[in-house]
Amino acid sequence: MPLVLHVDGGRWRAHLRSVVDAEPGTVPVIKGNGYGFGRASLARRSEWLGVDTVAVGQYDELDSVASRFRGSLLVLTPWRAFHADAAPLSGAAGKRVVHTVGRIEDLRDLVRRSDLPGTGPRVVLELLTSMRRHGLSAAGLREIADSTAGNVTVEGVALHLPLAEAGGPGHVGEVDRLLTDVVAADLETRAIWVSHLSPTELATLRARWPDFTFRPRTGTGLWLGDRGALEVRATVLDVHPVERGTTYGYRGRSAPRKGHLVVVAGGTAHGIGLEAPLGEASFRSRAASVARGGLDAAGLVRSPYTVAGKARLFAEPPHMQASMLFLPAGVTPPAIGDEVPVRVRFTATDVDEVRLG
Ligand SMILES: *Cc1c(COP(=O)(O)O)cnc(C)c1O
């Protein structure tokens, strides 16, 4: 298959198990492209992990997960009236969903639309953090707490924290302040759903707030946390020798030197994009490169593909499902059908196949 994510199955499963064992309340996040694996596959994997809840990003992702994972389904995007068409709000399906609520009017709307006698909709109340993406103020949380009794099941408070800066002060101070607001709101729930806290921060918070249960939501650190278990490789689809000046490609460029064009799987449809231009792109270094006949001077741009041990240049911008690389003379080209490594952003790449080895 053209663009393949190879997974060292044993090593990957051991990593997943170790994350969940270390943080018992872990909530795997399954959203977007499923971190490169696909949402369906991660849903089955979460069932295997034995967690009680997974999180999806938005309502239209529920279907791909609900039939493959039996537990509760947290939706991270806060409720808005315009989500009503995509949201299960009654019956067995409605009972499994935990909605995120960040505004008091949204809670009223959700309660009005739901048909879940006895319990009402299950919600987590999101508090605004320094991210300032979504959420209630401390006053909003108190107000909502007063108005929820009886018609809604509050499953906890959600905090979406920014990514920690290396060597920075961390999140403990901010979480401390927010938990003071939670205590002041006098909610019955003691579950705090959090993201992007380090194991050390979590341990500190658990020790400081023993009455609360922390539920870390994690995607990247879980699914992609052991990069050594994952490798994306692209199949070589074609190879052509070229002389200096041979024209090629959609734009009729001419080859800057003798070498080979190597056509590899993976294009814009897979999420393969142009990398930053070759380093040292200042005018002077570029002029020096022109003088040396350097390939960057020919306007070629670094690609994420490695051939014969080196990152290679795109011969032209990636096509929809394939890319053309330039391999200078002196480097033995790969054979058609060989696979070459390609560096990807997993959350922005759609591979053709995931192969568990
Ligand atoms: C995406 C997301 C997460 C998981 O983020 P990762 O960086 O992939 O671990 C957690 N919480 C919320 C609200 C999110 O949107």
Side-chain angles (χ1 to χ4, degrees):
M1 281 292 275
L3 192 68
V4 180
L5 166 55
H6 293 271
V7 183
D8 178 337
R11 182 168 163 175
W12 188 57
R13 285 189 294 270
H15 165 74
L16 300 180
R17 180 60 72 202
S18 75
V19 171
V20 170
D21 287 352
E23 301 290 353
T26 291
V27 179
V29 174
I30 303 175
K31 66 183 177 186
N33 72 341
Y35 292 84
F37 299 87
R39 293 195 301 270
S41 152
L42 298 188
R44 282 190 294 268
R45 192 54 63 191
S46 300
E47 184 69 35
W48 171 83
L49 278 168
V51 295
D52 65 3
T53 306
V54 300
V56 298
Q58 47 190 43
Y59 284 93
D60 64 358
E61 295 174 338
L62 283 170
D63 275 351
S64 57
V65 172
S67 58
R68 298 171 175 97
F69 172 79
R70 274 178 290 187
S72 297
L73 305 164
L74 171 67
V75 181
L76 297 171
T77 298
W79 177 262
R80 296 283 189 266
F82 49 76
H83 292 144
D85 288 347
L89 296 172
S90 61
K95 276 210 175 93
R96 291 177 61 197
V97 176
V98 181
H99 307 271
T100 298
V101 170
R103 301 188 312 165
I104 199 156
E105 57 268 47
D106 292 326
L107 184 64
R108 290 196 195 105
D109 177 74
L110 177 62
V111 168
R112 191 164 47 74
R113 289 173 194 267
S114 297
D115 179 20
L116 293 161
T119 59
R122 300 165 66 196
V123 301
V124 297
L125 303 175
E126 181 158 4
L127 256 183
L128 194 68
T129 67
S130 57
M131 278 268 294
R132 296 201 191 286
R133 192 160 80 176
H134 304 295
L136 297 151
S137 64
L141 187 69
R142 285 197 298 276
E143 191 184 343
I144 222 169
D146 290 341
S147 70
T148 51
N151 52 11
V152 53
T153 303
V154 178
E155 302 268 0
V157 170
L159 308 177
H160 190 33
L161 298 158
L163 300 167
E165 267 175 60
H171 299 106
V172 172
E174 178 171 8
V175 177
D176 270 339
R177 286 191 297 280
L178 293 164
L179 292 185
T180 307
D181 297 336
V182 174
V183 171
D186 201 19
L187 290 161
E188 269 176 31
T189 177
R190 284 286 171 262
I192 309 294
W193 306 66
V194 292
S195 61
H196 303 139
L197 290 173
S198 70
T200 319
E201 289 174 322
L202 271 170
T204 305
L205 288 164
R206 285 192 172 117
R208 248 191 245 198
W209 299 90
D211 292 348
F212 286 111
T213 307
F214 290 89
R215 310 247 12 212
R217 298 172 305 234
T218 169
T220 306
L222 179 66
W223 309 119
L224 304 174
D226 184 3
R227 287 300 165 99
L230 312 172
E231 190 183 22
V232 178
R233 295 208 290 266
T235 309
V236 174
L237 303 173
D238 224 330
V239 179
H240 306 288
V242 288
E243 297 298 325
R244 180 191 166 108
T246 304
T247 58
Y248 67 86
Y250 277 125
R251 291 167 191 80
R253 281 174 188 257
S254 54
R257 284 201 215 163
K258 183 180 164 72
H260 287 89
L261 294 172
V262 179
V263 185
V264 287
T268 53
H270 298 90
I272 300 288
L274 288 171
E275 300 274 288
L278 219 57
E280 300 177 66
S282 77
F283 181 76
R284 259 170 77 189
S285 68
R286 187 134 174 152
S289 182
V290 171
R292 277 185 272 116
L295 291 171
D296 56 331
L300 301 193
V301 168
R302 194 203 304 264
S303 87
Y305 294 88
T306 297
V307 180
K310 265 186 76 173
R312 299 299 168 181
L313 302 177
F314 279 124
E316 73 168 351
H319 303 170
M320 196 153 164
Q321 292 176 313
S323 295
M324 289 178 105
L325 311 177
F326 183 78
L327 204 60
V331 182
T332 308
I336 293 170
D338 281 359
E339 283 191 339
V340 298
V342 51
R343 214 163 28 74
V344 302
R345 259 182 79 189
F346 285 87
T347 51
T349 306
D350 284 314
V351 296
D352 296 307
E353 188 191 331
V354 179
R355 201 172 298 164
L356 247 91

